[in-house]
Amino acid sequence: MPISESTVREVLSRIIEPELKKDIITLDLVREITIDVRSVHVHVEVSNPAMHSRKRMEEAVIFNLQQALGAEVKVLVKVTPLSGERADVRRVLPKVKHIVAIASGKGGVGKSTVTANLAVGLAQMGWKVGLVDADIHGPSVPIMFDVALEKPTTLEKDGKHWIVPVESHGVKVLSIGFFAAPDQAIAWRGPMASKALEQLFKDADWGELDIMLVDLPPGTGDIHLSLVQAIPLSGAVIVSTPQPVALADARKGVGLFRLPSVNVPVLGIVENMAWFTPAELPENKYYIFGRGGARSLADELKVPFLGEIPLVQSIREAGDVGRPAVLQEGTVASAAFNDLCEALRTRLAELENTPVQEAPVARV
Ligand SMILES: Nc1ncnc2c1ncn2[C@@H]1O[C@H](COP(=O)(O)OP(=O)(O)OP(=O)(O)O)[C@@H](O)[C@H]1O
Ligand SMILES: [Mg+2]
């Protein structure tokens, strides 16, 4: 049977433009489709002109068309950057290479601690790092960076006022906590909270960044959904303890990012509080929340396992005094967080080379 244009369009409608977050047919990015007897030529535009982004689109088109039409069909793809006025649909934060959300589902499992240490660890490795504390329920990042009393300033540029992030330990930080008294934050619910959060991304002068980490509030509700849809995330990291209740919520966290309307790659799961180690007996490990639960969950959900962070008193103390534990060189804590930074860097590098595929069906 000859290949029809409607079949090709139907297949292409499963490919999501990774930065604009919609499929390439809806976005009208397919410029041309030419069909011969056993070959299909497609011309697609992408928002990010970088080579890796064009390569990913090419691979995604070939992969999806050959899967639907048969491997013997020759697929020729031309990918070009968005042209003319359409180039204006460039994403938010074009100078930020990767935006990564840190989520958990369950509260209190150590999202903010992991986020703060990843941010400082990556900055120590030479990356330009930004951190958005999106926790409207209880912003804790200002304390973890010892900037709780600071107020971000604004600057005027191109006729607009921009929020200037606060800098600490080599990381540019913005928190919803800078703009509201602790009791006020509670009243920020629903659309108002989402709007305020979006301003931290869109109305701030972030400049060029290698990575922006987003510390999400606990849960998987409406605020999460609107935020993860509004921000062009490269991926998400899920934090869990090995405890069954935390793992059940981590599963929901993975499910949120796998929703077809979200479709953000889960970069991996981190097991926090994997075991307790007393400072005086660093060889001793006590699995007080259970053992290896997050690793098994990662296997089951086919998500990479990024690493384990032990429960160490100094990690809590370091957070409380605003000097993340990764700064204490030669400790168990800094070694664990540095390994995690490396694992994340590896995953992001892999992501740049993986083809974009059709939206996965939420399996969780
Ligand atoms: N690996 C660890 N070792 C010791 N203490 C830890 C560790 N991870 C987190 N903590 C402590 O546990 C508490 C909760 O951590 P944190 O605030 O990072 O969790 P969270 O998931 O961000 O919480 P919330 O859901 O309230 O945002 C903090 O007091 C923190 O210092
Ligand atoms: Mg937190």
Side-chain angles (χ1 to χ4, degrees):
M1 211 172 64
I3 302 162
S4 74
E5 180 166 334
S6 64
T7 310
V8 173
R9 292 181 76 81
E10 198 278 315
V11 173
L12 295 177
S13 74
R14 294 183 221 150
I15 300 174
I16 307 291
E17 213 286 352
E19 288 169 7
L20 303 172
K21 294 276 183 292
K22 291 205 176 83
D23 74 80
I24 58 175
I25 293 291
T26 306
L27 288 167
D28 192 22
L29 294 177
V30 179
R31 294 276 64 82
E32 204 182 328
I33 298 172
T34 322
I35 300 163
D36 286 333
V37 190
R38 292 316 297 158
S39 73
V40 181
H41 296 241
V42 181
H43 176 188
V44 190
E45 289 186 343
V46 284
S47 68
N48 185 344
M51 189 61 199
H52 72 82
S53 141
R54 284 188 277 158
K55 192 84 200 131
R56 281 174 74 186
M57 182 55 73
E58 183 186 326
E59 286 172 0
V61 171
I62 296 174
F63 175 86
N64 280 281
L65 283 174
Q66 287 192 330
Q67 209 178 40
L69 308 172
E72 70 286 358
V73 173
K74 197 167 162 202
V75 180
L76 293 160
V77 193
K78 179 166 139 193
V79 185
T80 53
L82 275 178
S83 52
E85 278 174 19
R86 292 163 54 83
D88 289 346
V89 264
R90 284 288 281 135
R91 58 184 186 140
V92 210
L93 297 164
K95 288 188 283 179
V96 179
K97 211 157 149 201
H98 291 295
I99 308 180
V100 175
I102 318 291
S104 67
K106 189 178 176 334
V109 296
K111 274 178 308 303
S112 303
T113 304
V114 168
T115 312
N117 281 286
L118 273 177
V120 175
L122 290 168
Q124 282 185 314
M125 292 175 179
W127 274 24
K128 295 198 194 77
V129 185
L131 197 172
V132 174
D133 176 7
D135 194 344
I136 47 147
H137 306 287
S140 48
V141 169
I143 292 180
M144 292 185 176
F145 279 80
D146 195 19
V147 289
L149 299 176
E150 299 224 10
K151 288 275 165 262
T153 53
T154 57
L155 70 81
E156 214 184 318
K157 203 164 66 179
D158 310 326
K160 194 183 152 177
H161 287 276
W162 299 84
I163 306 166
V164 182
V166 166
E167 266 197 71
S168 177
H169 307 306
V171 177
K172 289 185 179 173
V173 180
L174 272 185
S175 167
I176 202 92
F178 290 144
F179 304 96
D183 50 343
Q184 217 187 332
I186 315 271
W188 281 17
R189 290 280 155 91
M192 210 175 138
S194 302
K195 192 94 212 97
L197 281 177
E198 274 191 50
Q199 287 187 344
L200 297 189
F201 295 90
K202 295 178 180 165
D203 299 340
D205 182 37
W206 287 103
E208 242 172 67
L209 296 178
D210 293 304
I211 192 166
M212 173 186 272
L213 297 172
V214 185
D215 183 11
L216 289 181
T220 44
D222 287 349
I223 287 185
H224 301 78
L225 194 60
S226 52
L227 191 71
V228 298
Q229 285 173 332
I231 307 303
L233 294 171
S234 312
V237 170
I238 310 290
V239 180
S240 185
T241 65
Q243 217 182 343
V245 280
L247 292 167
D249 286 354
R251 187 185 285 271
K252 288 187 206 151
V254 173
L256 172 79
F257 292 101
R258 283 184 171 172
L259 287 174
S261 64
V262 176
N263 191 27
V264 164
V266 176
L267 299 171
I269 296 183
V270 178
E271 185 167 285
N272 187 29
M273 312 193 193
W275 59 81
F276 167 69
T277 294
E280 61 284 8
L281 292 167
E283 299 307 315
N284 289 19
K285 295 180 176 179
Y286 303 92
Y287 295 88
I288 53 182
F289 291 122
R291 189 167 181 174
R295 193 185 281 270
S296 320
L297 183 69
D299 285 350
E300 184 200 321
L301 300 180
K302 308 220 173 345
V303 169
F305 183 67
L306 286 182
E308 305 160 307
I309 308 294
L311 175 65
V312 187
Q313 189 170 334
S314 64
I315 293 182
R316 199 268 305 150
E317 289 168 350
D320 287 352
V321 299
R323 277 189 60 76
V326 70
L327 289 165
Q328 298 163 14
E329 272 176 43
T331 58
V332 175
S334 76
F337 285 123
N338 279 320
D339 286 350
L340 190 59
C341 289
E342 281 302 346
L344 182 61
R345 278 161 52 122
T346 306
R347 282 291 292 138
L348 288 170
E350 281 168 10
L351 194 72
E352 288 180 8
N353 297 316
T354 355
V356 193
Q357 295 186 1
E358 61 188 272
V361 180
R363 260 170 284 139
V364 284

